[in-house]
Amino acid sequence: MTESTTIKRRGMMLVLSSPSGAGKTTLAKRLLETDGNFTMSVSVTTRAKRPAEVDGQDYHFISPATFAEKVKRDELLEHATVFGNSYGTPRAAVQAALAQGRDILFDIDWQGTQQLKEKARDDVVSIFILPPSRAELERRLLSRAQDTPEIVRQRMAKANDELSHWAEYDYVILNDDVHRAEARIAGIVEAERHKRVRQTGLSEFVRGLMT
Amino acid sequence: MTESTTIKRRGMMLVLSSPSGAGKTTLAKRLLETDGNFTMSVSVTTRAKRPAEVDGQDYHFISPATFAEKVKRDELLEHATVFGNSYGTPRAAVQAALAQGRDILFDIDWQGTQQLKEKARDDVVSIFILPPSRAELERRLLSRAQDTPEIVRQRMAKANDELSHWAEYDYVILNDDVHRAEARIAGIVEAERHKRVRQTGLSEFVRGLMT
């Protein structure tokens, strides 16, 4: 039987967070490659465009004044300033995608996740990715040969800070093996798509069944 | 890498409900066959044992007096009387299995599901299974040749009654194709096993990562 019956649903905002070195970037990339319904959220930023970047694809590049205006009008679902540059997630684009049943992936830290949940709790599905062991985490953090000891130390401290926020997430998965971790994320996505509250076409569909 | 790292978790009580004829029994059987961590809950009942049944495996066969005593002592998570016979789910066995991280499958109706949720909300994961169309549901309800028109009519009415309770479930899935429906249930199981609240070994594990 073909998938002729479809029940309308609202998209989700899927947040992946983890300490640096837990494999989050690889897992996000694989999800985008294997699941055609996911797109990455395109942020606005005040930092200068790099030559290889495309405006509107990598980021929307905007001026600090425009950014400040967007914050003031509550047009950003979350925002942060890193090394003097501001980054934020535009609310309108996200809401439009969700209403069309498209899912959006966010690669943000615990502070961004808290802001997203404050503004759109029912749409947010948050996953925290854990490394399999301290040794493995250190190995991954140390493997970038160009880093100075001071940078490594800072990264370790940041990893511990990020790790301390695991209890604020809906799901926690172990990245002991990239394929297993991928399957765990795929299962979570499958489940969340079938949550009753996310399927906005259900009452209509069941009404059809009962008559 | 082998699954050397395991995080302790509490089992779940997975409830599958649907109108008769939506394929629930087949899906329950497949889950038990493919997922070694699931067992079916063994009910107590006051009805007489049939020759092919094994006490303690199909049911625990008990007297009406013992059943009444169990209800009075709140030893049953849910119970119901059907055609003069009483059936119930013993609380102690379920709690012991959950504490060991084993998952338990329940094939019960919306009334049983409501009772389970009243007594053990955090452990219950409920899935409602929908048939793909009214025509398909009727075809399945009519296909048992031995049924009288009166029995078919009763079954249709009961199907509508059961259908009307879809909104009390955590997840709603369509059984338009048994393999797809199976995959949906497997995804939900995978996700629920990785819910933060269900993984009772997480704080200890993360403490180990941070030191």
Side-chain angles (χ1 to χ4, degrees), chain A residues 116-190:
Chain A
L116 273 197
K117 290 207 287 196
E118 275 169 18
K119 303 215 177 178
R121 182 62 189 101
D122 292 345
D123 292 321
V124 176
V125 175
S126 60
I127 305 180
F128 197 85
I129 302 164
L130 291 175
S133 65
R134 185 73 194 175
E136 180 63 18
L137 181 65
E138 288 179 354
R139 202 186 59 71
R140 295 188 202 173
L141 289 174
L142 290 168
S143 64
R144 308 181 196 176
Q146 75 276 24
D147 298 331
T148 66
E150 174 55 18
I151 284 180
V152 169
R153 200 199 54 76
Q154 280 176 16
R155 200 179 286 145
M156 294 278 191
K158 191 167 184 323
N160 270 0
D161 175 52
E162 191 74 17
L163 271 174
S164 73
H165 289 275
W166 64 272
E168 297 155 30
Y169 287 74
D170 302 322
Y171 298 94
V172 180
I173 66 166
L174 205 60
N175 186 10
D176 50 349
D177 170 276
V178 73
H179 299 291
R180 270 202 295 262
E182 216 181 329
R184 286 166 190 147
I185 294 172
I188 292 167
V189 166
E190 178 77 3

Side-chain angles (χ1 to χ4, degrees), chain B residues 137-148:
Chain B
L137 182 64
E138 287 179 354
R139 201 187 60 70
R140 294 188 202 172
L141 288 174
L142 290 167
S143 65
R144 306 181 197 176
Q146 74 278 22
D147 298 330
T148 67

Side-chain angles (χ1 to χ4, degrees), chain A residues 3 134 169 176 196 209, chain B residues 3 134 169 176 196 209:
Chain A
E3 180 83 290
R134 185 73 194 175
Y169 287 74
D176 50 349
R196 171 181 42 82
L209 285 178
Chain B
E3 179 83 289
R134 183 75 194 175
Y169 287 74
D176 50 350
R196 172 181 42 81
L209 285 179

